[in-house]
Amino acid sequence: MINKLVANIKKTGAPIVVGLDPMLNYIPKHVQDKAFAEYGETLEGAAEAIWQFNKEIVDKTYDLIPAVKPQIAMYEQFGIPGLAAFKKTVDYCKEKGLVVIGDIKRGDIGSTSAAYAVGHVGRVQVGSKTYVPFDEDFVTVNPYLGSDGVKPFVDVCKEEKKGLFILVKTSNPSSGEFQDRLIDGRPLYELVGEKVAEWGSEHMGDEYSYVGAVVGATYPEMGKVLRKVMPKSYILVPGYGAQGGKGKDLVHFFNEDGLGAIINSSRGIIAAYKQEAYAKYGEENFGDASRAAVEDMIADIRESLEQK
Amino acid sequence: MINKLVANIKKTGAPIVVGLDPMLNYIPKHVQDKAFAEYGETLEGAAEAIWQFNKEIVDKTYDLIPAVKPQIAMYEQFGIPGLAAFKKTVDYCKEKGLVVIGDIKRGDIGSTSAAYAVGHVGRVQVGSKTYVPFDEDFVTVNPYLGSDGVKPFVDVCKEEKKGLFILVKTSNPSSGEFQDRLIDGRPLYELVGEKVAEWGSEHMGDEYSYVGAVVGATYPEMGKVLRKVMPKSYILVPGYGAQGGKGKDLVHFFNEDGLGAIINSSRGIIAAYKQEAYAKYGEENFGDASRAAVEDMIADIRESLEQK
């Protein structure tokens, strides 16, 4: 699946991923009204609004982008119907040829991590049958529990040719509280990065490993160091746009081959119609605003990489 | 909810929690057969088997115990039907008067952590209506992202009088890979423990904080230190029984008042009928075997505390 991700990136020339993190207040009123008219102001109604919103954005952007990253929390908050909308979104994006990164940030130990892994990137056995419950291509994983927590995911990914992005240095302001603390003179995130390289060496694709890392766009200097610590790992970079990261901050997340990083934008794309720059499209045409925002983001990153 | 947990512990005299972590191979054949006869060898069939298994164990043990801890991964692996069985289990346990600790180990940042929090321990707004999607009493949270990741959970818990257990020192063999690393001469888990005490001071119940910690039974010496670092935090202690922890290892997780810790056992209770000690009950009477295992666990811990 890392090979497909790299191929999609080369094909589109766009090392970006659209974060499908729908908050209800991002969803235009006409979409909400229609869903509520059908299902009422219920969890099912919210799930339908999310699904219709996602579908429009995917329909208007899928030919420009290699991948999407639905954030499961935004679906899980609407309970079972919300999670059904997550699954519907995953399936639809895969039909459209997109690589789907499930931003689930799971992490547990042993058989419990294995259960998350089979549920999201593997297949589960029921009697004599097997099923692929959520069937994302990649998932994000939290490393706090160490190798016991990550290895069961790697094992399932090996069987399924799927992949992981391990949290290394997150984009939020307080990420330094633990991640930056020095251990033998080096920050914790570097030690986690080394482990990512080690876990990744066990599951290599053609050019890059199936085991990648998450490093926030908001910490470009750390990205530069981590790029060298994990040369064969794709770096998934959140924090572009709304969280403050700009194209020029991102160049050091990439390798010399122009590959090795994929930049996520969520709100900046899916709620583009709310920004002044894209207001001309109007709320009715929110999908067109998202397409324009994707084009601008690709241009910004491409220009920054050319000036590198 | 921490007050209810403490009250339940005092009432039952049993500082224990039963981990409802059903693997299909723990579930007796007659329960699986019945579920598959009704729903086929499908995700729905697996979910029904899990639900019937849980119900029998809860029915046979609820009067002895203060709380249960369903591990959501074991349900999530069966997709949407599995998560529906999780929700059904949460609701049923609450009807029975049990405190429900959702072992979800979530953790993200800002609005994303808030989404997990409203989904699991809060209420979500849909138009003019509000819903309580999963409605556990406590959830477990991963601290790797720092205060930005935990505070949104604390905020929701304050509104709802619900609580958290933050991963501090996990029970698995490789937990030391990151958690034990020394920072200014002290292990990372101690720094996390200090943060738990700080976050917890913002949301106090009568005797204990709504913000507790997870510390593995397999590390009793570290439990002793962490008990002092977080005097007002309940410690949820996994790793008893199957993972190797014994009653005598656990005494230092408790405060002088005999409170402050709650010991989890999962496989040791729910799959008790598979152990030689409880084989006499037979697979048909797996619930009675679980009840006997609960009684033995309570006796082991009570005896250890008396000898402290």
Side-chain angles (χ1 to χ4, degrees), chain B:
Chain B
M1 204 38 78
I2 186 67
N3 297 340
K4 182 176 176 188
L5 179 62
V6 173
N8 274 8
I9 291 169
K10 287 178 178 171
K11 189 178 72 186
T12 56
I16 73 165
V17 52
V18 172
L20 295 173
D21 310 358
M23 311 262 277
L24 271 190
N25 63 12
Y26 294 172
I27 302 181
K29 193 169 174 303
H30 70 279
V31 176
Q32 291 196 45
D33 285 349
K34 194 165 171 233
F36 294 162
E38 195 171 353
Y39 294 93
E41 288 180 343
T42 60
L43 296 177
E44 288 75 11
E48 173 67 11
I50 287 173
W51 157 243
Q52 293 297 344
F53 178 68
N54 284 350
K55 185 172 177 300
E56 175 67 9
I57 289 169
V58 171
D59 285 344
K60 286 284 163 66
T61 59
Y62 77 94
D63 58 313
L64 300 175
I65 60 175
V68 291
K69 180 175 77 60
Q71 164 55 261
I72 200 169
M74 295 304 171
Y75 304 81
E76 200 166 318
Q77 70 178 325
F78 297 107
I80 305 294
L83 286 158
F86 175 82
K87 171 64 178 151
K88 216 164 159 179
T89 299
V90 170
D91 289 347
Y92 188 70
C93 291
K94 289 176 68 165
E95 272 171 38
K96 289 286 186 185
L98 295 166
V99 169
V100 177
I101 302 167
D103 197 353
I104 66 172
K105 294 190 180 63
R106 302 301 195 247
D108 208 290
I109 57 174
S111 58
T112 311
S113 268
Y116 279 129
V118 302
H120 285 278
V121 287
R123 52 195 74 226
V124 70
Q125 190 83 26
V126 181
S128 59
K129 306 270 176 60
T130 56
Y131 295 91
V132 285
F134 285 106
D135 206 21
E136 298 105 300
D137 297 314
F138 286 82
V139 288
T140 56
V141 170
N142 187 307
Y144 188 67
L145 295 95
S147 294
D148 298 338
V150 175
K151 284 279 185 72
F153 280 96
V154 176
D155 291 343
V156 170
C157 284
K158 273 185 183 174
E159 279 171 34
E160 304 288 336
K161 292 193 185 300
K162 292 191 169 184
L164 305 172
F165 289 98
I166 313 289
L167 304 188
V168 173
K169 170 68 188 172
T170 54
S171 61
N172 55 310
S174 79
S175 69
E177 240 169 58
F178 304 125
Q179 297 165 23
D180 292 2
R181 299 304 298 265
L182 295 182
I183 292 161
D184 297 334
R186 295 169 59 217
L188 174 59
Y189 63 76
E190 266 192 53
L191 306 188
V192 178
E194 278 177 4
K195 278 284 174 190
V196 167
E198 184 189 316
W199 297 321
S201 67
E202 293 174 19
H203 186 26
M204 282 295 299
D206 292 341
E207 302 169 79
Y208 283 91
S209 171
Y210 285 83
V211 182
V214 175
V215 183
T218 40
Y219 298 105
E221 286 307 310
M222 299 173 184
K224 198 169 174 176
V225 173
L226 287 164
R227 177 66 288 166
K228 292 186 172 60
V229 170
M230 315 172 291
K232 292 292 180 194
S233 291
Y234 244 82
I235 303 181
L236 171 63
V237 188
Y240 177 89
Q243 285 185 56
K246 296 244 163 49
K248 64 183 168 41
D249 299 327
L250 300 170
V251 294
H252 299 297
F253 289 90
F254 290 84
N255 277 319
E256 291 303 316
D257 57 6
L259 296 170
I262 186 161
I263 315 300
N264 179 76
S265 178
S266 300
R267 202 182 340 159
I269 304 293
I270 68 174
Y273 76 93
K274 292 193 164 204
Q275 297 172 44
E276 216 181 298
Y278 307 106
K280 65 179 178 205
Y281 292 98
E283 195 169 308
E284 279 290 325
N285 305 305
F286 65 97
D288 297 312
S290 293
R291 184 176 178 90
V294 164
E295 288 171 330
D296 289 347
M297 180 180 175
I298 294 171
D300 174 40
I301 292 171
R302 209 172 278 169
E303 195 180 322
S304 304
L305 284 175
E306 280 163 8
Q307 290 169 358
K308 188 180 174 180

